[in-house]
Amino acid sequence: MRFPILTAMTTATLVAATAGCVNISAPDKPIQINLNINVTQEVVYRLDNEAKTLIQQNPGIF
């Protein structure tokens, strides 16, 4: 019964002794994210036939 307990304690000690340390530190330079975004807009217009004829009849309206 002693042998398994002694083995478990020895294993736990070895694991604790060989476990690494985690260091977290901020970077020296700021993080830079480059995004290439292309935004296009398309405007589609349709004139009603009645409005179209009204504009053709009165070109000085606009």
Side-chain angles (χ1 to χ4, degrees), residues 7-62:
T7 304
M9 289 176 54
T10 306
T11 305
T13 305
L14 284 173
V15 169
T18 58
C21 181
V22 177
N23 291 329
I24 299 174
S25 61
D28 296 337
K29 296 179 182 177
I31 298 172
Q32 202 173 34
I33 300 172
N34 294 324
L35 297 175
N36 294 325
I37 299 174
N38 187 5
V39 177
T40 58
Q41 182 178 5
E42 184 176 326
V43 178
V44 179
Y45 67 94
R46 295 184 190 141
L47 287 177
D48 187 42
N49 280 337
E50 190 176 317
K52 192 175 186 179
T53 57
L54 182 65
I55 291 171
Q56 287 175 350
Q57 290 174 355
N58 301 310
I61 289 178
F62 295 104

